[in-house]
Amino acid sequence: MSSWPPPQLPPLPRMHISQLPYSPGLDGLRALAVVAVMIYHANHEWLCGGFLGVEVFFVISGYLITLLLIAEHERSDRISLGQFWLRRARRLLPALFVMMVALIVYMTIFNSRPLGRTRGDFLGGLLYGSNWYQIVIGQSYTDIEAFAPLRHLWSLAVEEQFYLLWPLAMVVLLRRGRDRLPQVALRLFLTAVAIAIAVAVLYAPGDVQGECAPGDTNGYATIFGRCINVNDALYLSTFTRASGLLLGAAFAMVWRPAALMRGPMRRKGHLLDAIATIGLVLLGLMMWKLSLSSDGDNFGSKFDPWLFRGGFFVTGLVTLLVIAAVVHRQAFLGKVLGNPVFNWVGTRSYGLYLFHWPIYQIIRKSGFGMSVWQFVLAMAVTIPVTELCYRFVETPIRRHGLTGWRTESRRPLAAIYRRRRRLILVVGAVSSILGFAGVSLAVANNVCVGDVECSIENNSQVALPDPAAVTVSTEQSTIDGPEDTGESIGATVDSGTTSETTAPALPDVATADTAGSADPAVVPVTEPTIAIPVEPATTVAAAPTMAPIALGESVMLGALPQLQAGGFYVDALKSRQGTGMAELVEGLRAANQIGQTVVIQIGTNGSVEQATFDRIMAQLPADTTPQVVFLTVTAPRGWTAGNNDQIRALPTRYTNVTVLDWEAAASMINLCKDGIHLVCGTGAEQFYANLVFDAVGHPELKR
């Protein structure tokens, strides 16, 4: 017969009420979090809010670390900071070093070009300051084009900075007495609320350019002379992402699993299961619905307001609901999440997080979304690598430290010598590889990485005509045929600037040298040239033989050498907006540097209003500029269709305008992976230039 009341669980000694027994359910929660992050990193479209798994990690870390520190203080009335940091180092550093060393070796042998560009990332990773490094250099978390294999280390930097500082704070707090921990928990909760409010206030709504753009500073702040993306800083910085860590820490002070069994909460397992299930559903919905950023309404990108205005904080709260159940001895959810599959993934979640992103980058060469087969391949590499590191690096060092191999003193002397000889050979080989890779990293040049970045940077340095070096031709008034002299023309442009610039003065050409200028001569170039004088005698109206002008954005910049070879003067600038184009045309007209032919492409980087097109055309009347060619644009952006509709309607408003449908033509060729730019080894740049030559009536310039 059963007795009533039921037998009570024996009370634990008070010194053990904060002890946390192993909880498989927490590893299961880690598994869900890391899988969500890995899916998101593979392709944002598969799980647009999967990055919230990082916030789940922050809450778990805050909870566990605080509980461990309280338990240590209960056992010995003190916290050994040295031992705590040593345990953290043995847990975290070995796998990190293995990943970074393997990556350096791979890049040195197979992909050395990005070595110089990633040197700062390696240093930031070693010092656990990746998040601040990325903020300072403007390495946006949403950038997808460049090869950035260590970008994911920002979250580990946030956690490691917490591990460094939080024990110091706990030493001070616990000296005041453990009985005050509930009040401390309330203050920590209110601090987390204050951080969430500050993030909501500082968040920059609306469209934000991918970089500091001339004339539009929305979403950017200048700090110590550097232009900082506000929303990226809110996402990456330790202070603004501390709310999850503080929520976990506050919860640890009031929700200690062993202590729960001493009070009325010991019988509430089923209630906690129901609450935690609601928390899991809410967490899944947030990962499904929220996103970090999307295309802006007019230009650039727009960061999700729901995320920055409470999304992170709510994620932390629902994570606490799940933790409340999985650490409770009588709750069923802990057993569900602690199943063998989830447990395996959760215990290896750190390694999976470390290795998956570099492997993704190696497979797809950049940050663009992966295909299903690429993802399968990435998992086929990531899982074995993680398991090998877990078994042969992480676990042995965590248990025995770096001197575990010395425990063989009882083995036969010959066996010890053989093992040590093998160890010496391995150490020697590894040291040689490390030395080679380290030197390669140290001396590597810092050069462009992505196809788009390199095309823009290289073409920004292409020679432009130097008006001061050009002499007059009194006879030639049309475009000459090719003259292969092997000479290049002009001076270079400083590629380091991204601000709007006024084009260098274009030479005016008259049919006769009425002012007695210098002796005539024709500038020799390697492709068809235009006869132009050194300096005009007077300021006169644009002459028929003035060089045709091409004005555009980074798309046109990709074809700059080809257009110049055809005799065009080109002013193409990355991130140029419609208002910037209008100002450029107005400046050229004021300087009397617009001739009969102008080619314009604008609208890739943002919405262009009809008034802006009218403002441009006000400077290009039919009597002085009889030929104006507008190119449509192609880009996976929300404003593209509206811009193209306005461009295609221009000939009905202005008789001197014709439209070159680049959107339709681009569908016939391969562009860069971003679906926008030209120079990615596809030959699109010459195709683009040939279309322009046809549009202006000079097909003989095509190559």
Side-chain angles (χ1 to χ4, degrees):
M1 293 181 63
S2 60
S3 60
W4 186 263
Q8 299 286 329
L9 292 172
L12 291 169
R14 180 166 177 76
M15 69 173 55
H16 291 153
I17 64 172
S18 297
Q19 191 69 33
L20 177 64
Y22 174 64
S23 177
L26 278 180
D27 279 330
L29 184 57
R30 282 195 185 100
L32 294 178
V34 76
V35 168
V37 173
M38 292 166 67
I39 292 174
Y40 170 78
H41 282 166
N43 194 316
H44 298 178
E45 295 180 357
W46 295 347
L47 190 64
C48 60
F51 59 88
L52 290 174
V54 171
E55 191 71 8
V56 175
F57 275 117
F58 287 163
V59 178
I60 294 174
S61 294
Y63 179 79
L64 286 178
I65 293 303
T66 304
L67 205 56
L68 289 172
L69 292 170
I70 296 174
E72 181 181 352
H73 194 271
E74 286 180 346
R75 289 194 304 270
S76 60
D77 252 355
R78 63 186 296 271
I79 293 176
S80 175
L81 295 175
Q83 286 299 313
F84 173 83
W85 288 325
L86 179 61
R87 289 193 301 270
R88 289 293 88 199
R90 286 167 57 172
R91 172 69 182 91
L92 300 174
L93 293 180
L96 175 68
F97 289 162
V98 167
M99 183 275 290
M100 296 180 76
V101 167
L103 181 61
I104 293 175
V105 171
Y106 166 81
M107 293 175 66
T108 301
I109 298 174
F110 299 106
N111 188 18
S112 61
R113 182 176 182 85
L115 272 175
R117 179 61 59 86
T118 57
R119 187 162 42 235
D121 296 275
F122 279 102
L123 182 60
L126 286 174
L127 300 178
Y128 278 106
S130 294
N131 61 324
W132 296 110
Y133 173 75
Q134 292 175 24
I135 290 171
V136 169
I137 69 169
Q139 189 181 102
S140 175
Y141 188 71
T142 59
D143 285 345
I144 60 174
E145 199 268 332
F147 182 76
L150 296 177
R151 182 174 293 163
H152 65 313
L153 295 185
W154 76 269
S155 63
L156 300 182
V158 171
E159 289 200 46
E160 190 65 16
Q161 291 159 32
F162 174 74
Y163 297 153
L164 181 64
L165 299 175
W166 186 239
L168 298 173
M170 287 298 294
V171 168
V172 176
L173 294 173
L174 290 172
R175 281 180 180 174
R176 299 180 178 180
R178 291 191 295 271
D179 56 337
R180 301 182 61 180
L181 289 180
Q183 291 88 348
V184 174
L186 177 60
R187 292 171 184 169
L188 291 178
F189 177 80
L190 294 177
T191 302
V193 172
I195 291 173
I197 293 174
V199 169
V201 171
L202 294 173
Y203 160 73
D207 299 344
V208 178
Q209 282 278 21
E211 61 182 39
C212 286
D216 197 320
T217 57
N218 179 57
Y220 286 88
T222 301
I223 301 176
F224 299 117
R226 297 197 66 89
C227 197
I228 303 297
N229 185 310
V230 173
N231 293 337
D232 277 332
L234 294 177
Y235 185 84
L236 296 171
S237 83
T238 307
F239 303 121
T240 53
R241 294 305 298 271
S243 60
L245 293 162
L246 294 180
L247 285 174
F251 198 56
M253 295 177 180
V254 297
W255 196 264
R256 290 174 271 180
L260 295 176
M261 296 298 102
R262 301 164 61 96
M265 288 304 301
R266 67 182 181 276
R267 303 178 185 277
K268 304 296 184 180
H270 296 310
L271 175 62
L272 292 174
D273 281 333
I275 294 174
T277 300
I278 294 174
L280 281 176
V281 171
L282 290 174
L283 189 60
L285 286 174
M286 293 175 70
M287 289 184 176
W288 186 258
K289 292 294 185 180
L290 292 181
S291 62
L292 181 54
S293 66
S294 60
D295 291 340
D297 296 328
N298 295 305
F299 62 88
S301 60
K302 177 187 292 184
F303 290 77
D304 193 333
W306 292 102
L307 178 66
F308 289 86
R309 291 172 175 168
F312 290 123
F313 185 75
V314 174
T315 301
L317 290 181
V318 298
T319 301
L320 293 182
L321 298 182
V322 182
I323 292 176
V326 298
V327 301
H328 194 283
R329 295 183 189 179
Q330 305 301 322
F332 183 67
L333 186 63
K335 300 179 178 63
V336 174
L337 292 182
N339 69 79
V341 175
F342 282 21
N343 184 261
W344 186 92
V345 175
T347 54
R348 291 152 179 81
S349 59
Y350 176 61
L352 288 170
Y353 185 83
L354 271 181
F355 288 104
H356 85 280
W357 178 255
I359 291 171
Y360 284 8
Q361 292 291 86
I362 290 170
I363 289 175
R364 64 188 170 192
K365 306 300 182 184
S366 66
F368 290 95
M370 302 178 77
S371 66
V372 173
W373 289 111
Q374 284 180 316
F375 179 66
V376 171
L377 174 61
M379 290 299 97
V381 177
T382 301
I383 292 173
V385 168
T386 299
E387 180 65 16
L388 289 172
C389 184
Y390 180 79
R391 288 196 179 191
F392 299 109
V393 178
E394 294 181 66
T395 301
I397 294 178
R398 186 173 68 248
R399 291 179 177 174
H400 307 296
L402 296 174
T403 59
W405 63 275
R406 294 181 181 176
T407 59
E408 311 173 321
S409 56
R410 296 181 181 179
R411 294 192 178 189
L413 190 60
I416 294 176
Y417 283 149
R418 285 196 299 270
R419 182 174 177 83
R420 291 187 177 181
R421 193 162 49 244
R422 290 196 298 269
L423 181 63
I424 291 172
L425 291 174
V426 171
V427 169
V430 171
S431 299
S432 300
I433 294 173
L434 282 178
F436 173 70
V439 171
S440 299
L441 181 66
V443 302
N445 293 325
N446 189 351
V447 295
C448 62
V449 177
D451 289 335
V452 174
E453 178 192 354
C454 289
S455 70
I456 292 173
E457 180 177 308
N458 293 338
N459 286 347
S460 294
Q461 299 178 18
V462 172
L464 294 175
D466 181 3
V470 182
T471 54
V472 177
S473 172
T474 57
E475 300 177 357
Q476 196 164 342
S477 60
T478 59
I479 297 178
D480 293 333
E483 181 179 346
D484 189 3
T485 66
E487 298 181 22
S488 61
I489 54 177
T492 61
V493 171
D494 181 6
S495 64
T497 180
T498 57
S499 61
E500 290 285 355
T501 57
T502 302
L506 288 179
D508 296 329
V509 179
T511 56
D513 182 16
T514 59
S517 60
D519 293 336
V522 177
V523 179
V525 293
T526 57
E527 291 293 335
T529 63
I530 300 173
I532 48 182
V534 172
E535 56 186 33
T538 58
T539 300
V540 295
T545 53
M546 183 176 289
I549 298 176
L551 310 174
E553 316 147 311
S554 57
V555 176
M556 182 178 286
L557 189 59
L560 186 146
Q562 290 75 23
L563 291 171
Q564 284 187 330
F568 274 81
Y569 174 82
V570 183
D571 189 315
L573 183 66
K574 182 181 178 182
S575 300
R576 177 170 276 156
Q577 297 291 323
T579 54
M581 177 64 73
E583 291 169 359
L584 174 63
V585 174
E586 288 169 348
L588 290 171
R589 173 57 67 191
N592 195 36
Q593 294 175 347
I594 296 179
Q596 290 187 320
T597 300
V598 177
V599 177
I600 297 176
Q601 185 170 38
I602 194 66
T604 303
N605 300 308
S607 178
V608 184
E609 298 179 356
Q610 182 61 56
T612 303
F613 285 113
D614 293 339
R615 181 179 167 188
I616 293 171
M617 289 307 302
Q619 307 300 319
L620 305 174
D623 57 339
T624 59
T625 312
Q627 186 178 40
V628 180
V629 178
F630 272 89
L631 282 79
T632 59
V633 296
T634 180
R637 300 290 185 266
W639 55 76
T640 303
N643 286 345
N644 284 339
D645 288 343
Q646 293 190 83
I647 291 170
R648 292 187 178 107
L650 286 175
T652 63
R653 297 164 57 87
Y654 302 99
T655 58
N656 58 334
V657 172
T658 57
V659 173
L660 170 53
D661 199 340
W662 170 243
E663 181 184 42
S667 64
M668 299 185 292
I669 59 171
N670 293 322
L671 298 175
C672 294
K673 288 182 180 180
D674 62 0
I676 300 174
H677 294 91
L678 300 176
V679 184
C680 289
T682 62
E685 60 274 19
Q686 189 61 56
F687 177 81
Y688 180 98
N690 288 343
L691 290 175
V692 173
F693 298 151
D694 279 335
V696 299
H698 290 289
E700 72 278 3
L701 301 178
K702 296 195 298 184
R703 299 178 65 182

